[in-house]
Amino acid sequence: MKIFYNIKLLAIVSILVFSCNKKETINNTVHQQENNLTNFVDPLIGTGGHGHTYPGATVPFGMVQVSPDNGISAWDWCSGYHHSDSITIGFSHLHLSGTGIGDLTDIRVMPINKKVDLSKSIKTRDDIPFKSRYSHTNEKASPGYYSLFLEDFNIKAELTADVRTAFHRYTFKEEDEQSLVLDLGYTTNWDKTVDSQINIEDKFTISGYRHSTGWAKNQKVFFVIEFSKSIHQYDLYVDKTKHENINSVKGKDVTAQLFFNQVTKNQLNVKVGISSVSIANAKKNISRYNNKFEFDEVKEKAHNSWEQSLSKIEVDTKVDSLKAIFYTALYHSQIAPVVYSDVDGAFRKENDSIVSAKGYTAYSTLSLWDTFRAEHPLLIFLDSHKVADIINSMLAYYENENVLPVWTLYANETNTMTGYHSVSVIAEAYLKGIKGFDINKAYEAMKTTMMQDDRGLNFYKEYGYIPYKLLDESVTITLEYAYNDWCLAQVAKALGKKEDYIYFLKRSEAYTYLFDKETGFMRGKSKDGKSWHEPFDPKFSAHRVHADYTEGNAWQHSWFVPHNVDGLIQLYGSEEVFVKKLEQLFTEDSEITGDNVSVDISGLIGQYAHGNEPSHHIAYMFNKANAPWKTQYWVNEILKTQYNTTPNGLSGNEDCGQMSAWYVFSALGIYPMNPASGEYEIGSPIFDRAVLKITEEIDFIIEAENVSDKNIYIQSATLDGKKLNRSHITHQEIMSGGKLHFVMGASPNKNWGVKN
C-alpha cells in the first residue's frame, strides 16, 4: 500500500508540474503575442481615402513589394489598390507607397481554375477574363504577409517576401484546374508597356522582361518565376494573338496562361525574382532555401525582420489605438526608399549602363521633396548605414548626370516636385555625424547642383529670387532653394570653406525678397523687384499650372523658412504679430478658391493642410516665437484629427513614409523642424513612456507624467534630472542617451520653454 501510495503521489505531483509548466508556456506565449509589435501594425491603414498605400507583402526597404492590383486607372489607385474596391486582376511585384503619381505594378500574375481566352481586346478591367471579386472579410494583411480569397475561382492566395524575392502560395479547391496567368501588357495610370518577353525555360521555370515608360521613362524589369509543380500545358499570346508550338514570345502586349500537374496537393507555390539588370541576375536574386518553396519559413523571417525594425522604438500607453497608429506609421516609414541593386551589387542606370554598388547597397524611389522633412531624419535613428547607402546612391546618380537627384524612380529622374532636397538630406547626415560616404565628393555634388542653371536656378542667381513671370511655382521654388542654400552653407562652414559659406548663407536670405508685409504672405514678385503678382488671393490654388505655389496656396507656403524663423519673425515686426498670423492659419475658414484647385490640399485645419508636406513643420514654429504652448495645442490637435486606425487613417498621400514619419516624431514629442540644424522642436508627447534604441548599449527615454487626452500641455521638464526650460533638444543630447521627463497638465504653462 505504501508503494502504491508513493506511485500515486508521484503521479499527482507530475500532473501538477506538467499543468504548471503547460500554464507557464501558455502564459509566455500570450505574453510574447502581446509584446509582438507587428500585432499593432495594420497595412490596410492608408489604403482608403487619399492615403495611396498598398496592403501587400514586403520587408523593410525591400526590392519587391508583392501586392494586389484592382486594375483601375485613377488618382486614388496610385498604389494599384484602393480599399473601396472589391475586384482584383492579380498580384504584381513593384508598388509605390503613398505617392501622388501611379507607376510600377510590374510582372502581374493571377491564379485561376479554368482556361480563359486571352485573345479578346481589353479596354478596361471589365473586359479582363481572369478578374475576381473579393471581400475584405477574407483579406488579411500584416507586416510581410498578405492573403486574399478569390471568390470567382475559389482560391486562397497568400503572399510573402524577402528583400529580392516574392513568394506566393495558392490553395485551390480539390480537383480544380490549377492555372496561372502572367500578364505583362495590361497597364494602369501613367505606366505603359513598350516591350516584353516570356520564355518557357523548362517545366518548372519561366523568365522574361517588361520594359515600360511612364513616370519612369526607361524602366526595365527582368524576372524569373519558379513553380513547385510542373507545367503540363501553356498558351502564349502576343498582342492578343495566340502562338502555337513555341516556347518564347516577345512584343508589346505579351501574356501567358500556364496549367500545372496537380500531383497530390491542391497547393501551388510560386517564387519570383526580379532585377533591373538581366534575367541572369533575376535568377541570382531568387532566394535559396533548404526546401525550395519554404513559404512559412520566409513568412516567419519577414515577420522577424519587421519585429526587429519596429523594436527600435518602444512605446508605453494604455490606449491600444495609439499603439496601432504609431507602429503602423513606423512600418510605413520603413517601406521606401527601396533596395535597387542586385545581390551581386549590379544595377541599371537611366542611361542603360550597368554599374556595381561597391561597398554599399543602391536604393531608388527617392521621394525627396516629401521625405527630407521627417523620414530621412527618422532613418538616422533607425538605421544610419542605410542613410549612408542612400547618399551613395545619390552620388552614383551624380556621376552620370552632374547634378543630384530630385525624385528618382527605378533610377529614372522624374524631376517631380521642387527644390534639390538631396542637398538637404546629405547636409543633415553629415552634420549629424553619419559616416560611410565621401563628404568631399558629396560637397562637390551639392555645390555643383546649386550652381547650375536648370529648374529656375539661373533666374534665382540673377535676381536673388525667381520672378513669377519666368517660372511657375516661383514662390515655392525660391523658398526651397533658399533652404537648400542654407544647408549647403552649413556644410561649407564645417569643411572650412569660408567663401562658400558666406556666399550660400547670403543666398539663403532669398525669402526676404518675397515677403509682403502689407498682407503678411510670401508672394510672386515681378522682375523689377517692386511689383507683386496681382490679383492676389491667399486662398487661391492652381495645380501645377500658372501657380505661384506648389500644390497649395499662400496660406500654406508662406511659412517655409525653417532655417531662419527668427528672421521671418523680424519681417512680421514682432513675435506678437507673427503668432497672431500663424494662429490665424489654423482658425481661418477652410475655403480653397480657384478653378484648378490642387487635389493634394487635404487634411485641413483652417488653412493648414496636413495632407501635404509643406505644412508639416508649421505647428512647431510657435516655439520660436515664445509661444510653445500653442505648438503643444496644435500638434496635439493634428495628432488626434489627422490619423486613425481605419483605411482612411491618413489625411493625405503617405508619400513614401513622410506622413507617417511626422506622426512617429510628433507622438514622441519631438520634431526636426529644420532637419539639418541638429535641433528637434518639442511638441506634445502622447505616450507615458517611449524608448529610442540609439545603440545596443544606449537608450534615450522620453517620459510624460500624467499624460492623457486632456493633459496635453507641458508643465515642466527635466533632462537627466536637470531642469529643462527650452522648447528644443539637440541631436547630440539624444544620441548620448538619457531621460527626457515631462510633467503634463490640462492647462498651458505659459512660462515653460519661453526665452527671457
Side-chain angles (χ1 to χ4, degrees):
M1 290 293 293
K2 188 176 181 180
I3 294 174
F4 176 77
Y5 174 78
N6 288 341
I7 292 173
K8 187 175 181 180
L9 181 63
L10 180 63
I12 292 170
V13 171
S14 298
I15 291 170
L16 288 172
V17 170
F18 174 76
S19 298
C20 290
N21 288 340
K22 185 176 181 182
K23 184 176 181 180
E24 184 177 341
T25 301
I26 292 171
N27 286 339
N28 286 340
T29 301
V30 171
H31 179 72
Q32 288 172 359
Q33 290 176 346
E34 287 176 350
N35 287 277
N36 193 330
L37 299 179
T38 56
N39 288 341
F40 293 104
V41 176
D42 183 1
L44 291 171
I45 293 176
T47 59
H50 301 317
H52 295 186
T53 62
Y54 62 82
T58 190
V59 294
F61 310 102
M63 176 184 282
V64 294
Q65 312 89 37
V66 56
S67 189
D69 300 326
N70 295 132
I72 291 287
S73 290
W75 189 59
D76 278 331
W77 277 258
C78 279
S79 73
Y81 174 100
H82 195 264
H83 197 266
S84 63
D85 215 325
S86 59
I87 292 175
T88 185
I89 63 169
F91 309 100
S92 60
H93 292 78
L94 295 175
H95 292 85
L96 287 165
S97 179
T99 65
I101 297 183
D103 208 318
L104 304 185
T105 67
D106 294 82
I107 322 302
R108 184 181 299 110
V109 298
M110 179 68 168
I112 58 175
N113 62 356
K114 63 182 180 181
K115 186 180 181 69
V116 291
D117 183 1
L118 299 178
S119 67
K120 293 183 178 179
S121 176
I122 306 295
K123 294 182 179 179
T124 70
R125 78 166 181 188
D126 293 339
D127 303 321
I128 296 175
F130 51 83
K131 67 182 183 294
S132 176
R133 294 165 296 164
Y134 64 86
S135 168
H136 293 303
T137 59
N138 292 316
E139 179 181 39
K140 183 178 180 181
S142 62
Y145 176 77
Y146 178 84
S147 69
L148 187 67
F149 184 74
L150 305 174
E151 294 178 358
D152 288 327
F153 306 122
N154 290 312
I155 298 170
K156 180 182 180 181
E158 298 176 272
L159 312 172
T160 189
D162 65 11
V163 175
R164 296 178 177 86
T165 308
F167 295 77
H168 306 236
R169 181 165 65 191
Y170 302 127
T171 303
F172 295 79
K173 187 179 178 182
E174 295 288 350
E175 308 302 326
D176 270 8
E177 180 81 70
Q178 296 180 26
S179 180
L180 192 78
V181 172
L182 171 62
D183 180 9
L184 304 183
Y186 184 77
T187 61
T188 58
N189 289 327
W190 284 256
D191 186 55
K192 302 295 177 187
T193 309
V194 296
D195 188 23
S196 58
Q197 184 180 67
I198 299 175
N199 310 307
I200 310 295
E201 292 202 356
D202 56 44
K203 289 185 178 181
F204 294 94
T205 312
I206 67 173
S207 64
Y209 61 77
R210 180 176 182 268
H211 300 169
S212 62
T213 187
W215 197 18
K217 299 300 181 186
N218 180 30
Q219 188 197 3
K220 292 183 168 70
V221 184
F222 299 84
F223 67 90
V224 173
I225 307 179
E226 296 179 354
F227 305 100
S228 61
K229 295 180 178 180
S230 61
I231 303 167
H232 74 79
Q233 180 187 337
Y234 58 84
D235 296 331
L236 299 177
Y237 295 79
V238 179
D239 297 329
K240 305 305 176 187
T241 300
K242 188 174 180 180
H243 290 250
E244 307 278 2
N245 303 317
I246 58 173
N247 62 5
S248 181
V249 287
K250 182 178 181 296
K252 184 180 264 189
D253 182 359
V254 174
T255 53
Q257 183 169 15
L258 312 173
F259 303 88
F260 298 92
N261 290 306
Q262 293 190 28
V263 196
T264 57
K265 293 184 178 180
N266 62 336
Q267 281 187 344
L268 173 68
N269 282 278
V270 182
K271 189 157 57 171
V272 182
I274 65 169
S275 167
S276 69
V277 174
S278 64
I279 291 173
N281 265 39
K283 289 180 179 178
K284 292 179 184 178
N285 285 345
I286 286 189
S287 296
R288 304 297 173 185
Y289 293 89
N290 293 330
N291 188 332
K292 194 175 182 183
F293 293 94
E294 273 290 355
F295 184 94
D296 290 324
E297 179 183 339
V298 176
K299 176 186 171 185
E300 183 66 18
K301 286 185 176 180
H303 169 272
N304 290 340
S305 68
W306 276 114
E307 191 66 32
Q308 183 179 7
S309 294
L310 296 171
S311 67
K312 292 175 182 177
I313 305 178
E314 296 179 1
V315 299
D316 290 334
T317 176
K318 301 176 185 67
V319 186
D320 279 352
S321 61
L322 294 181
K323 273 193 174 182
I325 298 170
F326 180 84
Y327 281 111
T328 302
L330 193 56
Y331 164 81
H332 277 141
S333 67
Q334 296 179 81
I335 286 179
V338 301
V339 169
Y340 183 59
S341 54
D342 293 338
V343 70
D344 64 359
F347 65 96
R348 180 182 297 271
K349 289 191 172 183
E350 188 173 7
N351 63 1
D352 281 326
S353 63
I354 305 299
V355 297
S356 181
K358 297 186 185 302
Y360 72 98
T361 299
Y363 285 82
S364 190
T365 310
L366 298 177
S367 181
L368 295 166
W369 187 78
D370 309 290
T371 56
F372 86 90
R373 305 167 195 267
E375 195 208 3
H376 285 282
L378 183 59
L379 294 185
I380 286 176
F381 291 118
L382 299 178
D383 197 331
S384 60
H385 296 295
K386 282 188 174 63
V387 175
D389 285 353
I390 291 166
I391 292 172
N392 282 317
S393 303
M394 295 176 184
L395 297 180
Y397 176 89
Y398 171 77
E399 287 175 359
N400 280 94
E401 307 298 331
N402 205 39
V403 66
L404 285 167
V406 176
W407 207 128
T408 57
L409 175 64
Y410 227 74
N412 282 240
E413 179 57 87
T414 68
N415 270 312
T416 302
M417 309 315 293
T418 46
Y420 277 103
H421 299 296
S422 46
V423 172
S424 315
V425 170
I426 295 171
E428 179 195 17
Y430 177 68
L431 295 169
K432 288 181 177 176
I434 299 298
K435 308 296 183 185
F437 64 95
D438 185 340
I439 184 55
N440 293 313
K441 180 179 178 181
Y443 182 79
E444 172 201 311
M446 296 163 75
K447 182 177 177 180
T448 301
T449 297
M450 294 309 296
M451 289 303 294
Q452 46 132 358
D453 290 334
D454 290 344
R455 291 167 52 85
L457 276 166
N458 53 334
F459 306 130
Y460 179 78
K461 288 186 292 185
E462 180 179 353
Y463 296 95
Y465 63 97
I466 299 174
Y468 75 88
K469 287 185 178 179
L470 301 183
L471 191 67
D472 279 349
E473 303 177 340
S474 62
V475 175
T476 298
I477 296 171
T478 297
L479 296 176
E480 293 186 7
Y481 283 159
Y483 179 64
N484 299 153
D485 277 342
W486 184 87
C487 292
L488 179 51
Q490 305 315 303
V491 177
K493 182 180 181 181
L495 295 177
K497 300 179 184 293
K498 186 175 180 180
E499 289 186 6
D500 284 358
Y501 169 68
I502 294 171
Y503 173 75
F504 287 108
L505 189 65
K506 179 63 178 175
R507 280 201 344 187
S508 74
E509 297 174 359
Y511 66 92
T512 60
Y513 289 100
L514 301 185
F515 183 76
D516 175 18
K517 190 169 184 177
E518 184 177 334
T519 62
F521 292 102
M522 298 288 179
R523 295 182 55 185
K525 181 170 274 189
S526 299
K527 289 192 296 182
D528 62 14
K530 299 176 182 177
S531 54
W532 302 106
H533 189 181
E534 299 287 358
F536 176 67
D537 175 3
K539 296 179 181 178
F540 176 81
S541 166
H543 185 66
R544 307 311 304 266
V545 179
H546 305 307
D548 289 342
Y549 313 93
T550 303
E551 297 180 355
N553 61 24
W555 269 114
Q556 292 132 27
H557 282 263
S558 293
W559 309 98
F560 192 74
V561 191
H563 56 292
N564 194 357
V565 182
D566 290 340
L568 181 59
I569 292 171
Q570 289 176 15
L571 292 178
Y572 276 95
S574 70
E575 290 178 345
E576 291 75 19
V577 175
F578 176 82
V579 167
K580 183 178 179 180
K581 187 74 171 184
L582 186 55
E583 188 139 55
Q584 188 183 351
L585 168 72
F586 292 92
T587 58
E588 185 76 10
D589 71 69
S590 296
E591 179 190 13
I592 307 293
T593 61
D595 298 326
N596 182 29
V597 171
S598 176
V599 292
D600 296 277
I601 303 175
S602 61
L604 287 166
I605 302 175
Q607 285 288 317
Y608 173 89
H610 192 72
N612 209 17
E613 281 66 27
S615 288
H616 279 190
H617 70 290
I618 299 176
Y620 289 92
M621 299 178 84
F622 289 108
N623 280 359
K624 296 293 188 181
N626 266 339
W629 66 92
K630 291 185 180 293
T631 282
Q632 294 156 36
Y633 175 83
W634 288 112
V635 166
N636 189 270
E637 186 71 9
I638 297 164
L639 286 165
K640 286 193 291 191
T641 62
Q642 302 301 305
Y643 299 84
N644 62 59
T645 58
T646 72
N648 293 346
L650 296 174
S651 60
N653 297 169
E654 165 63 13
D655 281 321
C656 295
Q658 170 57 29
M659 191 70 69
S660 290
W662 187 96
Y663 188 92
V664 170
F665 270 120
S666 296
L668 294 175
I670 58 176
Y671 188 77
M673 185 182 72
N674 173 4
S677 70
E679 294 183 354
Y680 300 83
E681 297 301 317
I682 292 173
S684 178
I686 64 172
F687 299 119
D688 298 292
R689 189 173 190 266
V691 181
L692 280 71
K693 303 287 186 179
I694 305 301
T695 67
E696 289 292 329
E697 297 80 26
I698 300 174
D699 291 342
F700 185 75
I701 300 168
I702 302 174
E703 293 179 340
E705 184 181 339
N706 300 327
V707 71
S708 69
D709 189 49
K710 294 181 179 179
N711 292 345
I712 66 172
Y713 294 105
I714 297 170
Q715 305 300 299
S716 63
T718 58
L719 179 61
D720 292 333
K722 297 179 181 178
K723 184 178 179 180
L724 182 75
N725 194 28
R726 52 179 156 89
S727 59
H728 72 272
I729 186 168
T730 69
H731 185 72
Q732 188 56 50
E733 286 170 334
I734 295 174
M735 296 301 290
S736 298
K739 183 185 292 185
L740 177 60
H741 183 89
F742 297 108
V743 176
M744 309 298 291
S747 301
N749 177 359
K750 297 184 180 181
N751 294 315
W752 183 85
V754 175
K755 294 172 285 186
N756 295 325

